[in-house]
Amino acid sequence: MIFKRLIILFAFIQGSLASANPFLPFFNKLYKAHQLIENKDFVNSKKIILKQVQSKDSNQCIAWYDLSRIYENDKKFDSALIFSEKALLKLFIQHQKASEAIKLSKRYSLNLNHFNDLITSQVEKLYILNRKSEPNLLGKKNRNVFYTEHFMTLKNRIEKHSLYKNYLDTSTREQVKNLGCVIQLEWSIEHLQYCEDTIEFKKALASKNINIYKEYIDLYWKNIEKNHHLKEVIHLKNFYKVIEDTLFKTAFELVLIENNEQSYIKFIEEYPNAPQKDSAFNLAENIAYLDAKSANSNSKYETYIKKYPRARHRSQIDYLMRYLNVVPVPYLTKDLKYVYVDSASSETWTDSLYDFAYPYASNYHKKWYSNGSMLVPGCALVMKFDDFGASDFFYIEKDGTPVNQKTYDEIVQFSANMAFVQKADRHGIINSLGQEILPCKFQRIYFDTTLKLGILYNGKSWGMFNLTGKLITPIQYSNILSPFSSITVNVDIIELPKVLIAVINDNLWGYITTTGEKAIEFNYKQAFPFKNGVALVETTNGKWMYIDFEGKQVSKEYDLIQDLDNGFSKIVKIVEGKRKYGILSKPFGSKIPQMNLTHNQLHDFGRNFKIKYQSDSIYKEFKEIIQPIHDDILITNNLHFNAFAIKTTKGYIIYDTAGVIVSKNAIPNLSVFAQKLFVTKEKKQVKWYNYVNHLMSNLSFEEINVISDHLVAGLTKGVWNIYQINEKPLAVINDKGLVYKDFEAIVPAEKEGYFMIQKKGVWGLCNENGKVILDCKYHDIYFTDNINNFIVRIPETASNEESSWGVINTAGKFIVDPVFEGISFEDFSGYWLVPYNEKNAWLDQKGNLFAEPIE
């Protein structure tokens, strides 16, 4: 019975050895090592295999196959290749017995292809590894020669191997080839070549260098032309196409940056097959058109036509050439429509009719108006009502064709070459070419014309953009203006800080640079713009202080600070629950205005005033010239005199900006008039502080009116006269030496440096030196572009009830006779609008009216 059981056990073990079964690892060390490799345990597998190959299993192909995999895992590819080649040769020996081949296949699920794949993958890995570690190891091209030769040598050795030849007879050779032995090696050589080509392609593509693109195209196109096997060059053709397209794109991007006619023409000549060729041509032609249009001469127009005979701007050029001798103006027809006519002959220039139209803008304007009528040189702004009666404004060329397809509800020009536009309650920006820098998508837009930066609001958040309309910050901030910004309109020009800009994020304020990078952390309850290198902030615990560009505290903390524009601040400390006021001098004090200055400008100012511009020195510049111990302080901000008035029990004491008392006596009932003068009222008489003698004026009036920083008008017994701050009367005299006094009213004019005087219900105009520019004859006086010409409204009867409008010069001569019901001058330079036939018609400076006569 025991002997029978031993026979069964021996048979079971032999069966286990001949097949893959659960008991095999206990009896076959190579199988156990193979399983350890499958489980990624290369260390223990190596120990077993090395012992086996040094003894009885040195002829087993699986031993060398797994040993090669172990060295490959260790990235020792040279050793791995030796063992994988040996494994393949041992495989041929074992395959002489069909039973061994079947056993190998069943036990390890391996065949000839697995052995071939192992060799080829190791050669490729070794190649890639050396390319990465030393990319220039094998020269420019055919860097894989060494590895290709390795494949070829291996292939020849296999084909010539005696065992291989003996084993493969004529009837089985083709069958074995189909298994992949030799053919697999040939494919691997091709694959390696593809790998090399791909690396060269990716390297060239990543270079972003036009010369490298050209070198690649030249090199690989020659290879494609030489190779006639499609399967071997199809990838090169694809690579070539990608590089060529990239070359065209990169070259075109470069000429877009240069943006001149010569660059575009050169691009077309150098890359005649580029898909961007038509765009380059159109851009070159457009630049040539704008240059010719700007020069506005026959020679330039003829040059343009010669270079671009079939260009899309040819019709406009024809009109421009005609325009050299014709000035088209908008003409009001009997049908209350506007059509453009020749200003000299009144012949129709274009057939299009508009509901309103401006004259054509010239190439250069010294002055422009907010209505946008002069924004696009050589073009005219026109308006038509849409089907719902809403206004659609757009620009037209000289031939009447629209500049583009954009129309707007409103246009507000804010610089010589930019304007805000509105469409359906959303705002954008256009340039002097009529192109949209920003589309009409935003609720609010503000722009700094000096920094050429803007801020916008999309209804939820704020962001910053540059002159081209590109966002330089995400639209993510709760606010970019100061906490108490007075801007209430949806579009406007503003002054942004030149260095750091205050923004709010997550309910806290911080600062970013003009390029959108965070500069000072978001740590403040409130933050205000920088002036002279410092900014006022409120901390989260309710304290106020100044910080520098680095966010360092450079002043003491106060319970409240009111920042003033004259170089000082009104400070507050709460003492026993009561506010106590003082005055703090900021860096540079009142020596220079509180301006938006850069680092370099501040350093220059610092040297001039012997201040070392650093945080420590700035801290020392903050001085309490008046300590915060007073119940109230009044402040004036006058061009000639800044002062502070401190409340005491006896009245107000006046201090200068150095904190020195300048008033000789306390002044009761002091107040500030127009933020420019200290005034006091006693027994219904008003006096002002005379900063020359540091006393209240000897003169007193029932009322006063501040005309400018050094002129005051005073009312006595129903008449007004004008005085200088030092109390000297200002002589008001005309060219004939006639002295004027006792006016019915004196008020500042709309233009600085002038004031208006009234006598017998009509107005005259004087300059700040007292010279009468226009006598008292007019109901209204308005300035025009010409400082010597004024639009005036004159009474037609002695009763002054009826009046008419005209244009008069300083010599008293009417340029436009006063026969109109009104004149508007802020519309277009050189023309005026006058009411005519229920609408407005244009009037030139010679008095020519461009309107069809009323029958």
Side-chain angles (χ1 to χ4, degrees):
M1 178 62 73
I2 293 174
F3 179 72
K4 185 176 180 181
R5 288 180 179 177
L6 287 174
I7 292 174
I8 294 172
L9 179 61
F10 178 76
F12 176 76
I13 292 172
Q14 289 298 315
S16 298
L17 292 173
S19 60
N21 63 55
F23 296 97
L24 190 57
F26 295 104
F27 304 101
N28 190 320
K29 297 295 184 181
L30 290 181
Y31 184 84
K32 181 178 181 181
H34 183 76
Q35 291 300 111
L36 289 173
I37 290 176
E38 294 296 311
N39 294 325
K40 308 300 181 183
D41 188 352
F42 294 98
V43 175
N44 291 318
S45 177
K46 184 177 181 181
K47 293 177 182 178
I48 296 173
I49 293 175
L50 287 177
K51 288 181 181 179
Q52 295 302 112
V53 297
Q54 291 172 3
S55 57
K56 62 178 180 177
D57 291 327
S58 59
N59 289 324
Q60 293 293 318
C61 63
I62 188 63
W64 301 107
Y65 177 85
D66 284 338
L67 191 60
S68 176
R69 292 173 66 190
I70 291 169
Y71 278 94
E72 180 182 348
N73 179 71
D74 294 338
K75 298 193 180 335
K76 297 179 180 179
F77 294 107
D78 291 321
S79 299
L81 278 169
I82 294 172
F83 294 132
S84 59
E85 181 182 339
K86 193 169 185 178
L88 183 61
L89 296 176
K90 291 293 183 183
L91 178 70
F92 291 142
I93 296 174
Q94 288 182 249
H95 271 210
Q96 292 185 51
K97 295 181 180 180
S99 59
E100 290 295 323
I102 294 171
K103 185 187 297 184
L104 183 70
S105 176
K106 285 185 177 182
R107 183 173 296 173
Y108 300 102
S109 300
L110 296 173
N111 56 38
L112 187 58
N113 286 335
H114 291 95
F115 284 75
N116 287 334
D117 290 342
L118 183 65
I119 294 176
T120 55
S121 67
Q122 289 171 354
V123 172
E124 290 172 15
K125 287 177 181 178
L126 181 59
Y127 168 66
I128 298 298
L129 183 67
N130 285 343
R131 271 299 296 263
K132 287 182 179 179
S133 62
E134 200 169 350
N136 298 319
L137 180 69
L138 299 173
K140 264 190 174 181
K141 186 68 178 136
N142 295 326
R143 292 178 178 174
N144 59 350
V145 168
F146 171 78
Y147 302 103
T148 303
E149 289 178 352
H150 187 99
F151 274 127
M152 295 303 296
T153 300
L154 182 59
K155 174 185 173 187
N156 292 335
R157 286 177 63 183
I158 292 173
E159 288 178 333
K160 295 176 182 178
H161 199 283
S162 58
L163 291 173
Y164 181 71
K165 284 184 177 182
N166 294 336
Y167 175 67
L168 300 174
D169 57 25
T170 306
S171 60
T172 60
R173 179 178 293 273
E174 188 62 33
Q175 180 182 355
V176 174
K177 277 188 177 184
N178 289 337
L179 289 175
C181 178
V182 177
I183 292 177
Q184 181 74 19
L185 291 173
E186 291 174 347
W187 287 350
S188 296
I189 293 170
E190 292 179 9
H191 179 72
L192 190 58
Q193 181 63 54
Y194 297 158
C195 180
E196 165 67 16
D197 292 339
T198 302
I199 291 173
E200 291 290 339
F201 162 71
K202 289 183 177 179
K203 182 180 177 183
L205 192 62
S207 71
K208 297 182 180 179
N209 185 299
I210 287 180
N211 292 329
I212 291 177
Y213 295 156
K214 290 179 178 178
E215 180 183 351
Y216 177 93
I217 289 171
D218 181 63
L219 180 65
Y220 275 84
W221 187 249
K222 289 178 181 177
N223 289 339
I224 293 172
E225 287 179 327
K226 290 178 182 177
N227 201 323
H228 301 292
H229 300 290
L230 182 62
K231 69 174 184 177
E232 296 174 359
V233 299
I234 190 168
H235 71 290
L236 286 179
K237 288 183 176 180
N238 292 334
F239 291 165
Y240 168 83
K241 180 60 178 171
V242 172
I243 291 289
E244 185 183 51
D245 289 345
T246 306
L247 170 64
F248 294 153
K249 181 181 178 182
T250 304
F252 188 62
E253 287 173 351
L254 291 176
V255 298
L256 282 175
I257 294 172
E258 296 177 13
N259 195 33
N260 59 66
E261 183 185 6
Q262 292 74 21
S263 297
Y264 291 125
I265 296 299
K266 185 178 178 181
F267 175 85
I268 295 168
E269 293 172 350
E270 191 168 354
Y271 308 105
N273 298 322
Q276 298 88 352
K277 180 180 66 175
D278 291 341
S279 295
F281 177 85
N282 290 334
L283 289 167
E285 185 268 336
N286 192 61
I287 291 174
Y289 165 69
L290 293 175
D291 288 344
K293 185 178 172 184
S294 176
N296 197 33
S297 66
N298 273 316
S299 60
K300 281 287 187 179
Y301 292 142
E302 289 170 358
T303 301
Y304 169 85
I305 292 171
K306 185 177 180 180
K307 290 170 67 175
Y308 306 97
R310 298 180 180 177
R312 57 196 177 110
H313 289 104
R314 177 60 188 269
S315 61
Q316 286 96 326
I317 288 293
D318 291 339
Y319 266 86
L320 286 167
M321 293 181 74
R322 287 175 57 199
Y323 182 69
L324 290 174
N325 300 312
V326 174
V327 180
V329 294
Y331 185 83
L332 182 63
T333 69
K334 292 179 179 178
D335 297 327
L336 302 183
K337 297 288 185 179
Y338 295 84
V339 65
Y340 284 93
V341 301
D342 183 339
S343 61
S345 65
S346 295
E347 292 181 3
T348 302
W349 176 258
T350 60
D351 295 329
S352 299
L353 295 175
Y354 306 97
D355 292 299
F356 189 74
Y358 290 91
Y360 277 96
S362 61
N363 290 319
Y364 302 100
H365 284 291
K366 293 182 180 178
K367 183 176 177 64
W368 45 267
Y369 296 111
S370 63
N371 55 39
S373 59
M374 298 181 178
L375 177 66
V376 184
C379 297
L381 178 62
V382 297
M383 185 272 287
K384 286 185 177 182
F385 291 121
D386 65 15
D387 295 338
F388 301 98
S391 302
D392 271 345
F393 287 91
F394 57 97
Y395 293 94
I396 60 171
E397 297 277 4
K398 288 296 188 306
D399 61 352
T401 59
V403 170
N404 52 41
Q405 300 303 311
K406 301 292 185 179
T407 64
Y408 303 101
D409 300 339
E410 185 180 5
I411 299 174
V412 179
Q413 189 170 350
F414 62 87
S415 74
N417 53 13
M418 297 177 75
F420 297 116
V421 288
Q422 177 183 331
K423 190 74 174 177
D425 294 327
R426 290 293 182 267
H427 304 276
I429 293 179
I430 60 175
N431 61 18
S432 58
L433 297 176
Q435 300 168 336
E436 285 191 349
I437 294 173
L438 282 179
C440 292
K441 292 183 177 180
F442 305 99
Q443 286 191 9
R444 290 191 173 194
I445 303 176
Y446 305 111
F447 197 81
D448 186 324
T449 55
T450 301
L451 288 181
K452 307 228 177 340
L453 291 175
I455 58 178
L456 52 81
Y457 179 64
N458 66 2
K460 294 182 179 179
S461 302
W462 292 83
M464 288 178 59
F465 64 94
N466 62 18
L467 185 62
T468 65
K470 181 180 179 182
L471 286 173
I472 57 177
T473 71
I475 305 177
Q476 64 181 15
Y477 299 111
S478 303
N479 203 344
I480 297 184
L481 303 176
S482 64
F484 299 118
S485 171
S486 60
I487 297 178
T488 57
V489 295
N490 290 328
V491 294
D492 205 350
I493 55 172
I494 58 171
E495 184 183 5
L496 290 171
K498 291 182 174 62
V499 183
L500 301 182
I501 299 171
V503 297
I504 185 171
N505 197 22
D506 294 332
N507 297 319
L508 288 177
W509 286 85
Y511 292 86
I512 60 175
T513 67
T514 54
T515 58
E517 299 173 355
K518 184 168 68 173
I520 298 177
E521 292 292 338
F522 298 92
N523 292 329
Y524 304 107
K525 190 175 180 181
Q526 296 186 68
F528 293 83
F530 274 86
K531 296 177 182 177
N532 289 3
V534 297
L536 175 63
V537 297
E538 181 188 8
T539 63
T540 52
N541 62 0
K543 295 296 182 180
W544 293 76
M545 64 182 183
Y546 286 94
I547 60 173
D548 65 9
F549 286 135
E550 296 178 354
K552 296 179 182 177
Q553 180 179 345
V554 290
S555 75
K556 293 179 181 178
E557 289 185 349
Y558 298 94
D559 293 311
L560 184 63
I561 299 177
Q562 179 187 351
D563 196 68
L564 306 175
D565 290 331
N566 59 0
F568 300 91
S569 298
K570 190 174 182 180
I571 54 177
V572 176
K573 278 195 172 182
I574 297 177
V575 180
E576 296 179 353
K578 295 182 179 180
R579 289 190 174 191
K580 297 296 181 179
Y581 298 92
I583 297 295
L584 183 70
S585 174
K586 296 187 289 185
F588 308 113
S590 60
K591 297 173 184 177
I592 61 171
Q594 293 295 294
M595 296 186 293
N596 231 331
L597 301 175
T598 64
H599 286 85
N600 292 335
Q601 291 170 330
L602 285 167
H603 281 294
D604 291 340
F605 276 120
R607 284 195 295 270
N608 292 337
F609 296 105
K610 298 180 181 180
I611 297 172
K612 191 175 181 181
Y613 186 74
Q614 293 179 351
S615 295
D616 294 339
S617 61
I618 292 175
Y619 190 92
K620 294 175 184 177
E621 280 297 303
F622 282 95
K623 298 176 183 177
E624 290 182 359
I625 62 171
I626 298 175
Q627 293 184 352
I629 57 175
H630 304 284
D631 293 334
D632 191 20
I633 295 180
L634 303 178
I635 302 161
T636 61
N637 187 9
N638 189 294
L639 180 64
H640 305 285
F641 179 66
N642 291 317
F644 310 105
I646 297 176
K647 186 178 182 180
T648 68
T649 55
K650 296 181 179 181
Y652 285 87
I653 303 295
I654 297 178
Y655 290 72
D656 65 13
T657 54
V660 178
I661 296 176
V662 293
S663 61
K664 296 179 180 178
N665 301 300
I667 306 168
N669 304 320
L670 198 69
S671 62
V672 177
F673 189 92
Q675 297 182 341
K676 291 181 180 293
L677 287 179
F678 289 131
V679 297
T680 184
K681 194 167 186 178
E682 294 180 5
K683 297 179 181 180
K684 299 183 179 180
Q685 291 290 306
V686 180
K687 295 183 177 184
W688 72 85
Y689 179 75
N690 184 340
Y691 58 78
V692 178
N693 60 18
H694 303 298
L695 295 171
M696 298 306 292
S697 63
N698 290 317
L699 298 174
S700 60
F701 302 98
E702 298 166 14
E703 293 181 30
I704 67 169
N705 192 7
V706 176
I707 303 303
S708 68
D709 283 328
H710 65 280
L711 294 178
V712 176
L715 175 68
T716 301
K717 295 181 180 180
V719 296
W720 290 84
N721 283 289
I722 191 159
Y723 301 85
Q724 300 175 58
I725 295 294
N726 61 9
E727 303 182 57
K728 292 181 180 180
L730 180 70
V732 181
I733 307 173
N734 67 8
D735 289 336
K736 297 178 181 180
L738 181 63
V739 177
Y740 293 73
K741 63 179 182 179
D742 297 338
F743 302 103
E744 295 170 7
I746 302 175
V747 296
E750 60 175 346
K751 190 172 184 179
E752 190 174 348
Y754 295 85
F755 61 92
M756 305 278 287
I757 54 176
Q758 187 183 58
K759 274 182 170 293
K760 296 181 180 180
V762 287
W763 292 94
L765 179 69
C766 298
N767 66 19
E768 60 183 0
N769 296 321
K771 180 183 177 181
V772 177
I773 307 300
L774 294 177
D775 208 346
C776 295
K777 295 180 178 180
Y778 311 101
H779 283 328
D780 290 291
I781 301 173
Y782 293 98
F783 292 84
T784 68
D785 295 340
N786 189 328
I787 59 172
N788 296 315
N789 295 340
F790 302 89
I791 295 175
V792 294
R793 181 167 66 97
I794 66 172
E796 292 183 352
T797 62
S799 64
N800 292 338
E801 293 180 358
E802 296 181 359
S803 61
S804 59
W805 293 78
V807 179
I808 198 170
N809 62 21
T810 53
K813 181 180 178 180
F814 275 100
I815 298 171
V816 176
D817 290 334
V819 295
F820 298 100
E821 295 178 4
I823 297 180
S824 172
F825 69 96
E826 291 188 345
D827 291 287
F828 199 90
S829 182
Y831 293 87
W832 293 288
L833 272 179
V834 295
Y836 189 82
N837 194 16
E838 300 180 4
K839 276 205 169 184
N840 292 313
W842 289 99
L843 185 75
D844 69 10
Q845 292 188 352
K846 295 180 180 179
N848 297 314
L849 182 66
F850 298 102
E852 201 166 2
I854 302 174
E855 295 178 357

